[in-house]
Amino acid sequence: MRGVVTSIRLPRLSPDRVDRVRARLARELGDSKVVADAASLEANAGDESDQEPILPDVVVRAENAEDVAAALRVAAELEVPITPRAAGSGKSGGAVPVAGGIVLATIGMNRIVDIDRAEHVVVVEPGVVLGDLHRAVEAEGLFYPPDANSLAWCAIGGNVGENAAGPRALKYGATRDWLLGLDVALVGGEATFVGRRTKKGVTGYDVAALLCGSEGTLAVTTRVVLRLIPKPERVVTMMATFADVHAAGRAVMAALGSGIVPRCIELLDARTLDAVRARGVAVDEGARAMLITEVDGGEDDAMESAGRVGSRFDDAGALAVLVAQDASQRDRLWEARRQLSPATRAMARHKISEDVVVPRTKVPALLDEVDRISEAIGVSMLTYGHAGDGNLHVNFLWDDDDHEPRVEAGLDRLFRAVLTLGGTLSGEHGVGTSKAPWLRLEQGDLLVDLQRRLKAVFDPKGLLNPGKIFDESARSGTKGHRAC
Ligand code: MLT
Ligand code: ZN
């Protein structure tokens, strides 16, 4: 296994420098926006990943683009690390301030600035919560498809940073597919707009696309311009159950061959179904796998599409195919799906959830390999996620602290298998610190070094969100797991 370490090796600021940084920030931004009390530092130390939380030295609560620029100016002048953060819902350690220093919190910048009904464009600040954005545009008959499962609290700034996706990515793609432009501030405090506000545009490099998914390592977003479409008239939600996960895997391929593009096909394996049952959703005890599938479209054609996909499930051997009869049935099903991450966390003292992707024809092969890994390392595993995209959350669950080396070995084997199957390490959660030791394995030295050089163009001193994506030593290992 490559360079996996269990402690953070990046140097911290001396107490003198911390005092100087806090004083300077307070002078530039005002005392109320610069906080360093224990509760604030703790609240900005971790994210939703398995990575060990690290306390920053100071938190800037930005209220506008000028605050963001001022914090980035101070960081450059005093040469201190600065880690941008929106809601902190990330799952790869991207918002963990691994070198301490400044956390630049943009969650307070939460205005929906403009919903342009004629142009089908929305302009928002980075702290807008995804679910609030959905409600606001849907009230205007418009639709923003990306639907990260943490939509009740994740924020657009983080969605852009990680190129967040979600179940509906199968039909509609991820955040980058909806991003038109960004107002950003650079290390040093200069500000600019990248991208465009129009539907089309090809001038220069696509810098907005580059920044989307750069995990806050290149620039800090202060405003986001997103594309919208008309809200689909009708959504049909289906729940198909199967005798085993392999039958469900085959049914995914059958549905994708139906000529219909469902907006999502979510797979839940047997252990995941136990977690769903434990959350009070009635699922037939004989079912060992489930597909939650949605199609959308016009009033008439959505029902017809659902029929076609449903009959593919029947042909593939579904035990039952049920259609949600009303909004409350549909909401209950989705509530259970969206709660899988906390529900599975409650199943053991320690959990790692990966978000690997394989070509979707290889989903059954991946599921077989997960079984083999689980048996080989003697650690319980479960799998659920966006099977239509080949993007699966493979979870390791264990109670015994001494099992950490086994889990590390299992992770390494999982990642190697995914790459052998022609896949990629992350479909939506990013590299952060958690997958950095394996990036070269996927991308090779040339591409990783090219990206490091690109990073140096934006941030020559490596101050912005240090330790992420490329730094193999910043991973906290599985020891950093919070016990539940
Ligand atoms: C999900 O699909 O539920 C999220 O990406 C989080 C996860 O389960 O790892
Ligand atoms: Zn997911």
Side-chain angles (χ1 to χ4, degrees), residues 47-118:
D47 64 4
E48 285 295 298
S49 70
D50 57 293
Q51 295 294 286
E52 191 171 20
I54 309 276
L55 292 177
D57 295 303
V58 58
V59 177
V60 170
R61 289 187 184 142
E63 290 175 10
N64 51 49
E66 289 70 36
D67 293 344
V68 172
L72 287 162
R73 195 167 55 242
V74 171
E77 282 173 20
L78 301 186
E79 294 192 9
V80 291
I82 181 162
T83 299
R85 175 188 182 91
S89 63
K91 292 197 157 256
S92 59
V96 178
V98 291
I102 305 167
V103 161
L104 174 51
T106 58
I107 193 70
M109 297 169 63
N110 57 6
R111 283 183 320 132
I112 296 178
V113 180
D114 184 26
I115 300 175
D116 187 331
R117 265 173 289 176

Side-chain angles (χ1 to χ4, degrees), residues 149 165-167 266 337 355 384-386 391 393 428-429:
N149 266 324
E266 297 286 301
R337 166 62 186 93
D355 69 315
Y384 62 87
H386 322 297
N391 179 197
H393 298 303
E428 50 183 16
H429 296 167

Side-chain angles (χ1 to χ4, degrees), residues 130 134 145-152 154 159 164-167 338 428:
L130 178 60
H134 284 166
D147 61 338
N149 266 324
S150 50
L151 56 82
C154 69
N159 285 193
R338 297 205 187 280
E428 50 183 16

Side-chain angles (χ1 to χ4, degrees), residues 13-29 34 57-58 74-75 77-80 102:
L13 302 181
S14 68
D16 273 5
R17 284 187 73 204
V18 170
D19 288 346
R20 272 212 308 280
V21 173
R22 286 179 185 166
R24 178 69 191 283
L25 285 170
R27 212 160 59 233
E28 298 267 344
L29 288 131
V34 180
D57 295 303
V58 58
V74 171
E77 282 173 20
L78 301 186
E79 294 192 9
V80 291
I102 305 167

